[in-house]
Amino acid sequence: MLSGGLDSAVNLAIAADKTDVVLALTFDYGQRSASREINSSKELASHYKTAHKTIDLPWFNDSDSALSDTSKTIPKLDIKDLDDTVKTSASAASVWVPNRNGVFVNISASFAEMKGAGLVVGGFNAEEGLTFPDNTRAFTEAATGMFRYSTLNAVTLTGYTIDMAKTEIAKKAVELAVPLGLIWSCYEGGDLMCGACEPCSRLKRAFQETYPELVPSLRIAI
Ligand SMILES: [Zn+2]
């Protein structure tokens, strides 16, 4: 599952190293950043010589998530507020899309079974797992438990960064020479990543704390 953000890019890099990746999937669920995510994902997939497919899920537009409902505003989250669980929970609630990751992992498991692949890999991480329950090891284990019944080849859902905070993921990205200029982590769909939404602030903080000299390589507003 490839959204084009830092986490999924690092997971693709690790998967490309450890496994034979048969397909990268990007989901268009009407999110503001869809075209940016699709472009980034296509470029990353091409970089890692991986087949890529975009899955359209237009019915998600029935959701009133700020990610797709343009009458709403994407919450800004300052770097200093990233560990304030009241503020991060409010941000998470406004961008929540009902059962989105549940749908993504099931579609991915279908493709895995069709292609004889045993593994679905997602960009799960410990930092966002604190506010998004569908980013946790409990979620991947529960989905894997379901796939024992819903797929004939007992697909496993995993993520190589599931226990990592963003700083560790940033270090991994540099270690693996992930092309940082291709990444799109922002909730918005502008020319540059906005630099102010939650994933932008997390991305900026992670690089400022590890490789500040690489921040200009990211397509992000400072
Ligand atoms: Zn942003």
Side-chain angles (χ1 to χ4, degrees):
M1 295 182 288
L2 186 65
S3 70
L6 175 70
D7 310 317
S8 68
V10 168
N11 275 275
L12 174 58
I14 298 171
D17 186 42
K18 287 186 178 237
T19 71
D20 291 320
V21 184
V22 295
L23 183 62
L25 288 179
T26 303
F27 298 98
D28 181 346
Y29 54 99
Q31 72 274 37
R32 298 162 197 248
S33 54
S35 70
R36 296 290 171 204
E37 291 185 22
I38 292 164
N39 286 342
S40 281
S41 298
K42 280 183 177 166
E43 289 174 348
L44 284 162
S46 165
H47 180 83
Y48 289 101
K49 299 182 172 45
T50 299
H52 176 265
K53 190 184 269 287
T54 302
I55 306 293
D56 293 324
L57 301 167
W59 50 269
F60 265 127
N61 268 335
D62 282 9
S63 135
D64 61 358
S65 168
L67 287 190
S68 52
D69 183 343
T70 50
S71 71
K72 299 192 167 167
T73 306
I74 297 276
K76 310 286 182 222
L77 205 61
D78 204 77
I79 286 178
K80 69 175 169 33
D81 295 327
L82 285 174
D83 298 317
D84 179 332
T85 51
V86 173
K87 289 187 174 159
T88 56
S89 297
S91 173
S94 85
V95 298
W96 182 256
V97 179
N99 196 26
R100 183 196 62 179
N101 284 7
V103 170
F104 289 2
V105 301
N106 271 288
I107 291 171
S108 303
S110 287
F111 277 98
E113 184 177 351
M114 280 186 250
K115 295 185 174 295
L119 205 56
V120 169
V121 178
F124 306 107
N125 68 88
E127 200 165 308
E128 277 149 321
L130 292 174
T131 39
F132 292 93
D134 57 356
N135 237 291
T136 58
R137 187 173 289 283
F139 173 73
T140 61
E141 288 176 354
T144 298
M146 181 176 62
F147 297 153
R148 271 187 222 121
Y149 299 90
S150 65
T151 61
L152 294 179
N153 62 337
V155 169
T156 296
L157 175 65
T158 192
Y160 299 113
T161 59
I162 198 161
D163 296 320
M164 294 185 195
K166 282 284 187 210
T167 50
E168 295 168 87
I169 300 173
K171 284 182 195 163
K172 196 53 112 175
V174 173
E175 182 190 320
L176 297 173
V178 170
L180 300 177
L182 300 185
I183 283 169
W184 191 270
S185 289
C186 182
Y187 285 153
E188 305 274 9
D191 292 333
L192 285 176
M193 291 187 273
C194 77
C197 68
E198 180 171 354
C200 277
S201 284
R202 290 195 186 281
L203 181 69
K204 267 203 299 200
R205 178 172 73 171
F207 277 92
Q208 282 170 0
E209 288 179 356
T210 52
Y211 300 96
E213 71 278 14
L214 293 180
V215 173
S217 346
L218 302 164
R219 288 181 294 161
I220 194 165
I222 303 295

